[in-house]
Amino acid sequence: MIRIINLKEEGNKDIKAFIRKSKVVFNDVTKGVEKIIEDVKKNGDKAVIEYTKKFDGIKLNNFYVSNTEIEDAYKDCEDDFIKALENAKENIKEFHKKQLKNSWIWNKDKGITLGQLYNPIYRVGIYVPGGTAAYPSTVLMNAIPAKVAGVKEIVMVTPPDKNGQVNKAILAAAKIAGVNKIFKIGGAQAVGALAFGTETIPKVDKIVGPGNIYVATAKKLVYGSVDIDMIAGPSEILIIGDENSNPKYIAADMLGQAEHDELASSILITTSIRLAEMVKNEIKEQVKGLSRREIIEKSLKDFGAIIVVEDLQKAIDLSNEIAPEHLELMVDNAFEIVNEIKNAGAIFIGEYSPEALGDYLAGPNHTLPTSGTAKFFSPLGVDDFMKKSSLIYYSRESLMKDKDKIIKLAAKEGLTAHGNSIKVRFE
Amino acid sequence: MIRIINLKEEGNKDIKAFIRKSKVVFNDVTKGVEKIIEDVKKNGDKAVIEYTKKFDGIKLNNFYVSNTEIEDAYKDCEDDFIKALENAKENIKEFHKKQLKNSWIWNKDKGITLGQLYNPIYRVGIYVPGGTAAYPSTVLMNAIPAKVAGVKEIVMVTPPDKNGQVNKAILAAAKIAGVNKIFKIGGAQAVGALAFGTETIPKVDKIVGPGNIYVATAKKLVYGSVDIDMIAGPSEILIIGDENSNPKYIAADMLGQAEHDELASSILITTSIRLAEMVKNEIKEQVKGLSRREIIEKSLKDFGAIIVVEDLQKAIDLSNEIAPEHLELMVDNAFEIVNEIKNAGAIFIGEYSPEALGDYLAGPNHTLPTSGTAKFFSPLGVDDFMKKSSLIYYSRESLMKDKDKIIKLAAKEGLTAHGNSIKVRFE
């Protein structure tokens, strides 16, 4: 079961052992994945057909998901599920619209205009895992920010099952989110096809979405040829609680995190040893009724912990050091400490803002930086689907004023033709 | 010499041959670079000392550049160089300050508050190449946006020469830009040291700055453990000109681009065959007086071109397809077509806004996406040194209204503990 570590008593105990750090650089699958991508780049659809047969166990000559297939899937879904998806869509759209940036220009001085142009990325690929990790919520969270940014074409890929079918809830979510094209392909071959294009699958400019180790490795390999989103690891929650926090809620949120997979991490940091004990007991009770009990217990044993610290400041410092994907502030007056949080993917404030609310419905993105990468990565958002161009305009008089400085700096770098390009304008 | 391709006459001639596309995925140096990084990760300073001896030809037991060394270098620089650097610094700072984003909250509804928190990245590493590619301007362009963003610690690395010295102009620029620590190390070993830390070199959260193939490969390999900036290729310019453009200025700007290195690319797209011929002649004349003539001629022969097209719209379309790093609009009323430019790193408007102005002094960043990556990458800027956290607050009443939808979506994904975390709050 989950351990309690009392840092008040055990002092400087090294807690690094169970805090997962960002991913290792190299892995054993790289070579195999390289081969698949090279093959898809060279042989296009033919290679994709072969790998789909090999890895997904189905020979498909056509990957394209037809409109009829999508409409049928949509009709097969229960009404309340569709309604919930529609509601989630509206909330996600509204929140992401608040993120939109405008192009701007700045008349810095007479004869000097500078600025930045914002443009959407033209075509984006979304990877959606199949099988048990086929999450319709993920389709919304990846496609809607792209739509809001103004992306013209969203291409979704998702692996087929042994009968050549894809998850109906996924197709319904794609329809609701406004995905433009869907292909039944998965794995490294799908990433290769999106990165370089094949006869039937269009080359995209950016690939986003979660995936297993093969998909993650493939994305890292094609980075630079296309853009990618962050490299996501197993999911995590960190909860900060005090003597007044509700142990039942905290336990439930930790269990929710732990059910994702055996590598998921659930940590409570608290100033109260009493709360620590109560949460531990609550976890024991609540886990009994849960369908994914085995996964949860393994996850809590390996990557879970309840850490007792001296005071709230220590809890905040430790949280900033861990840089969790999800951070719940279950303390009194939680809003007051928000500004002390430096590193976290999403911050959930107060007792009635559980992680599950953010996973599905509130509107902010659930694609968040994991494994400590919140120190430098951000939640997926509209910015990820736009890019900027700088604008520079100088009049003749303005350039004249600055010409000697430019010529001097160019000369110092040995770039005389740079200097010449200024000189010829004033000869 | 540079070729003229008349698309009016030659029709659909395939011009892809000389338009460089984004980098290939794999390269021969990966294995060697992996080994260096693993070694530095494992053996720290000891490994860095060995690789510095091997690749830079100097045994250094201490990499740290002292304050005395920096002050002496600064004093050794000419006054007008220092003044030009100071002026560039002010312009870069002013432009990048315009990019700063504020944290925001949104009271969406009674009992619902959402938002985004912006925080600077804590510690950043800047790679600065040595030897002939040691550019003080690059120090400013990488360090100042980080400063403006609020980065607490900027660590610069740059390789030593055979005598254990580093370029004085680089040190002066680092002092002016406000770099906090400088180490005399370079190559893949420097990237490994910054990514994982050693006994003397602090681990950073993000690595930026240009470098050769070893540095670029190392950055790509450590991506995910730290963040990196874009993967930059050889530099490029694309100029759009019409019958009224000044051939002398265009030729000078193409020569300025071509002197960077033999792989640099200079392209003119014009509606006027007359301009095409005149620019070709001007290039022939001006190149005679330039110090880097050999590099220029090789670059123009391999990657240069003057392309004649039917009309301005075709020029714009082709430019958007190429997605150049630098784009000069040397046509009448250039401002009017800016909004049609979808893909470009920086856009230079009119006859008196040559690329060299942007390289050194105007203020926008000169670190720009190359090789067609302007389709998805942006100029380096303040955004690259900040990260976001989502904020989510719901009251009990607000969560209650939405609870059934969340429980439904969680159930559909088989995540019953997620549903449980909502249910326990209303039992």
Side-chain angles (χ1 to χ4, degrees):
Chain A
M1 237 314 145
I2 195 161
R3 80 206 93 175
I4 296 180
I5 301 169
N6 191 334
L7 290 183
K8 284 194 212 175
E9 289 169 5
E10 299 172 59
N12 287 324
K13 188 181 161 107
D14 187 12
I15 53 163
K16 281 184 186 153
F18 64 90
I19 294 170
R20 199 172 25 236
K21 276 289 136 189
S22 46
K23 300 188 90 63
V24 285
V25 184
F26 319 113
N27 64 56
D28 301 339
V29 309
T30 303
K31 241 197 150 55
V33 171
E34 268 186 24
K35 197 177 155 289
I36 293 170
I37 293 174
E38 291 279 22
D39 196 4
V40 170
K41 191 178 173 183
K42 197 175 153 198
N43 299 309
D45 283 342
K46 189 167 159 280
V48 178
I49 290 170
E50 268 168 35
Y51 288 113
T52 303
K53 196 174 154 206
K54 185 173 170 188
F55 296 122
D56 301 307
I58 174 86
K59 176 119 195 294
L60 291 177
N61 288 316
N62 177 18
F63 311 113
Y64 190 73
V65 180
S66 70
N67 273 336
T68 319
E69 237 170 317
I70 297 167
E71 292 299 332
D72 288 350
Y74 182 86
K75 281 177 206 147
D76 277 355
C77 291
E78 314 92 280
D79 277 358
D80 57 346
F81 169 64
I82 295 290
K83 272 189 193 144
L85 272 187
E86 289 282 5
N87 192 252
K89 174 198 170 175
E90 281 314 309
N91 288 347
I92 297 166
K93 202 163 86 180
E94 268 195 283
F95 182 77
H96 285 81
K97 274 191 175 169
K98 304 284 284 185
Q99 299 174 16
L100 268 170
K101 310 284 190 317
N102 289 320
S103 298
W104 53 274
I105 55 164
W106 173 38
N107 293 313
K108 187 186 173 188
D109 220 332
K110 189 170 149 55
I112 300 182
T113 300
L114 305 174
Q116 278 189 313
L117 219 58
Y118 278 82
N119 272 307
I121 291 174
Y122 185 81
R123 191 185 286 127
V124 166
I126 298 180
Y127 189 94
V128 178
T132 54
Y135 297 146
S137 58
T138 299
V139 177
L140 301 187
M141 291 290 182
N142 281 276
I144 293 167
K147 275 286 184 198
V148 170
V151 170
K152 286 282 180 300
E153 196 174 313
I154 301 175
V155 181
M156 187 174 109
V157 295
T158 189
D161 64 18
K162 285 207 162 62
N163 305 312
Q165 301 296 311
V166 292
N167 187 301
K168 288 180 178 177
I170 293 289
L171 293 183
K175 176 182 150 79
I176 287 168
V179 167
N180 302 93
K181 283 179 183 162
I182 308 175
F183 295 96
K184 293 177 200 178
I185 53 172
Q189 61 274 21
V191 175
L194 289 173
F196 300 106
T198 70
E199 298 87 332
T200 60
I201 298 149
K203 175 186 174 5
V204 302
D205 301 309
K206 178 159 187 166
I207 302 173
V208 300
N212 61 21
I213 180 76
Y214 299 96
V215 172
T217 304
K219 279 169 64 183
K220 187 165 168 174
L221 285 170
V222 300
Y223 176 62
S225 295
V226 296
D227 193 14
I228 61 171
D229 58 352
M230 68 203 90
I231 296 174
S235 195
E236 314 146 356
I237 196 170
L238 192 153
I239 301 174
I240 298 180
D242 59 23
E243 62 283 0
N244 298 323
S245 307
N246 189 318
K248 206 166 152 183
Y249 303 176
I250 292 176
D253 294 354
M254 292 176 81
L255 290 163
Q257 188 56 55
E259 81 173 328
H260 269 293
D261 67 66
E262 292 176 356
L263 297 172
S265 160
S266 309
I267 294 173
L268 165 65
I269 305 181
T270 178
T271 49
S272 161
I273 181 73
R274 197 169 148 262
L275 181 76
E277 297 288 357
M278 287 192 298
V279 168
K280 188 170 179 175
N281 288 334
E282 271 293 333
I283 286 176
K284 268 188 212 162
E285 281 309 305
Q286 290 185 30
V287 76
K288 288 177 190 163
L290 296 172
S291 61
R292 293 163 76 96
R293 181 170 179 174
E294 262 181 64
I295 294 171
I296 291 171
E297 288 182 339
K298 180 115 175 52
S299 156
L300 289 179
K301 182 167 168 288
D302 292 346
F303 298 103
I306 298 171
I307 303 170
V308 182
V309 293
E310 201 77 40
D311 53 34
L312 188 56
Q313 190 56 53
K314 286 221 164 59
I316 292 168
D317 292 346
L318 186 53
S319 173
N320 280 334
E321 180 53 34
I322 292 172
E325 181 188 15
H326 305 94
L327 172 63
E328 290 186 357
L329 301 178
M330 292 261 214
V331 294
D332 284 342
N333 304 315
F335 264 110
E336 292 174 11
I337 59 165
V338 165
N339 279 325
E340 293 187 54
I341 304 303
K342 301 302 172 197
N343 307 312
I347 304 169
F348 298 82
I349 301 164
E351 293 204 314
Y352 291 95
S353 313
E355 188 201 311
L357 165 66
D359 285 346
Y360 292 112
L361 206 77
N365 214 286
H366 79 193
T367 304
L368 298 167
T370 57
S371 310
T373 62
K375 288 183 175 179
F376 44 83
F377 287 150
S378 299
L380 192 71
V382 172
D383 293 347
D384 294 298
F385 298 103
M386 305 196 83
K387 72 265 183 344
K388 292 158 264 186
S389 303
S390 304
L391 293 179
I392 300 178
Y393 164 77
Y394 266 49
S395 67
R396 185 171 193 281
E397 291 67 36
S398 302
L399 185 64
M400 185 138 67
K401 270 187 226 159
D402 277 343
K403 73 178 169 46
D404 293 339
K405 283 173 277 189
I406 301 170
I407 293 166
K408 177 70 201 177
L409 290 168
K412 190 80 180 178
E413 295 186 354
L415 298 175
T416 50
H418 279 63
N420 178 62
S421 76
I422 305 294
K423 284 177 198 161
V424 296
R425 284 168 160 87
F426 298 97
E427 270 165 4
Chain B
M1 238 313 146
I2 194 160
R3 80 206 92 175
I4 294 180
I5 301 169
N6 191 336
L7 289 184
K8 284 195 212 173
E9 288 170 5
E10 299 172 59
N12 287 326
K13 187 179 162 109
D14 188 11
I15 54 163
K16 279 185 188 153
F18 65 91
I19 294 171
R20 201 173 22 235
K21 275 290 137 190
S22 46
K23 303 187 89 63
V24 286
V25 183
F26 318 112
N27 64 56
D28 301 338
V29 310
T30 303
K31 241 197 151 54
V33 171
E34 267 186 22
K35 196 176 154 290
I36 293 169
I37 293 174
E38 291 280 21
D39 196 3
V40 170
K41 191 178 174 185
K42 198 174 152 199
N43 298 310
D45 284 340
K46 189 167 158 281
V48 178
I49 290 170
E50 268 168 33
Y51 288 114
T52 303
K53 196 174 155 208
K54 184 173 172 188
F55 295 123
D56 301 306
I58 173 83
K59 176 119 197 293
L60 291 177
N61 288 315
N62 178 17
F63 311 113
Y64 191 71
V65 179
S66 69
N67 272 336
T68 320
E69 235 169 319
I70 297 167
E71 292 300 332
D72 288 350
Y74 182 86
K75 280 176 205 147
D76 277 355
C77 291
E78 315 92 278
D79 277 358
D80 57 345
F81 170 64
I82 295 290
K83 272 188 194 145
L85 273 187
E86 290 281 6
N87 192 253
K89 175 199 168 171
E90 282 313 310
N91 287 347
I92 297 166
K93 202 162 86 178
E94 269 195 283
F95 181 77
H96 284 80
K97 273 190 176 170
K98 304 284 285 185
Q99 299 174 15
L100 268 170
K101 310 285 190 314
N102 290 320
S103 299
W104 53 272
I105 55 165
W106 173 39
N107 293 312
K108 188 186 173 187
D109 220 330
K110 188 169 150 55
I112 301 182
T113 299
L114 305 173
Q116 278 189 314
L117 219 59
Y118 279 81
N119 272 306
I121 292 174
Y122 185 81
R123 191 186 286 125
V124 166
I126 297 179
Y127 190 95
V128 179
T132 53
Y135 297 146
S137 59
T138 299
V139 177
L140 301 187
M141 291 291 183
N142 280 276
I144 294 168
K147 275 285 186 200
V148 169
V151 170
K152 285 282 179 303
E153 197 173 314
I154 301 175
V155 180
M156 188 175 108
V157 295
T158 189
D161 65 18
K162 285 206 163 57
N163 304 311
Q165 302 296 309
V166 292
N167 185 301
K168 288 180 179 177
I170 293 289
L171 294 184
K175 177 182 149 80
I176 288 168
V179 167
N180 303 93
K181 284 179 182 160
I182 308 175
F183 295 95
K184 292 177 199 178
I185 53 172
Q189 62 273 22
V191 174
L194 290 172
F196 300 106
T198 69
E199 298 87 331
T200 61
I201 297 149
K203 175 187 175 4
V204 302
D205 301 309
K206 178 158 187 165
I207 302 173
V208 299
N212 60 22
I213 181 76
Y214 299 97
V215 172
T217 303
K219 279 169 65 183
K220 187 165 168 175
L221 286 170
V222 300
Y223 175 63
S225 294
V226 296
D227 193 15
I228 62 170
D229 58 353
M230 68 202 89
I231 295 174
S235 195
E236 314 147 355
I237 196 168
L238 192 153
I239 302 175
I240 298 180
D242 58 23
E243 62 283 359
N244 298 322
S245 307
N246 188 317
K248 206 165 152 185
Y249 303 175
I250 292 176
D253 294 353
M254 292 176 81
L255 291 165
Q257 187 56 54
E259 80 173 328
H260 269 294
D261 66 67
E262 292 176 356
L263 297 172
S265 160
S266 310
I267 293 173
L268 165 65
I269 305 181
T270 178
T271 48
S272 162
I273 182 74
R274 198 168 147 264
L275 181 76
E277 298 288 358
M278 287 193 297
V279 168
K280 188 170 179 174
N281 288 335
E282 271 292 334
I283 287 175
K284 267 188 211 159
E285 282 308 308
Q286 290 185 32
V287 76
K288 288 177 191 163
L290 296 173
S291 60
R292 295 164 75 96
R293 181 170 178 174
E294 262 180 64
I295 294 172
I296 291 172
E297 288 182 337
K298 179 115 177 52
S299 156
L300 289 179
K301 182 168 170 286
D302 292 346
F303 298 104
I306 298 172
I307 302 170
V308 182
V309 293
E310 201 75 41
D311 52 34
L312 188 56
Q313 191 57 52
K314 286 222 164 54
I316 293 168
D317 292 346
L318 187 51
S319 174
N320 280 335
E321 180 54 32
I322 292 172
E325 182 189 15
H326 305 95
L327 172 63
E328 289 186 358
L329 301 178
M330 292 260 215
V331 293
D332 284 343
N333 305 315
F335 263 110
E336 291 174 12
I337 60 166
V338 165
N339 279 326
E340 292 187 55
I341 303 304
K342 300 302 172 198
N343 306 314
I347 305 169
F348 298 81
I349 301 164
E351 292 204 315
Y352 291 96
S353 314
E355 188 201 313
L357 165 67
D359 286 345
Y360 292 112
L361 207 78
N365 214 286
H366 79 193
T367 304
L368 298 167
T370 57
S371 310
T373 61
K375 288 184 176 179
F376 44 83
F377 286 150
S378 299
L380 191 71
V382 171
D383 293 348
D384 295 297
F385 298 102
M386 305 196 84
K387 72 264 183 342
K388 292 158 262 183
S389 303
S390 305
L391 292 179
I392 300 177
Y393 164 77
Y394 265 52
S395 67
R396 184 173 194 280
E397 292 66 37
S398 300
L399 185 65
M400 184 141 65
K401 268 187 229 158
D402 277 343
K403 72 179 171 49
D404 293 339
K405 284 174 275 190
I406 301 170
I407 293 166
K408 177 72 202 178
L409 290 167
K412 190 80 180 178
E413 295 187 354
L415 298 174
T416 50
H418 279 64
N420 178 63
S421 76
I422 305 295
K423 284 177 198 161
V424 296
R425 284 167 160 87
F426 299 98
E427 269 165 6

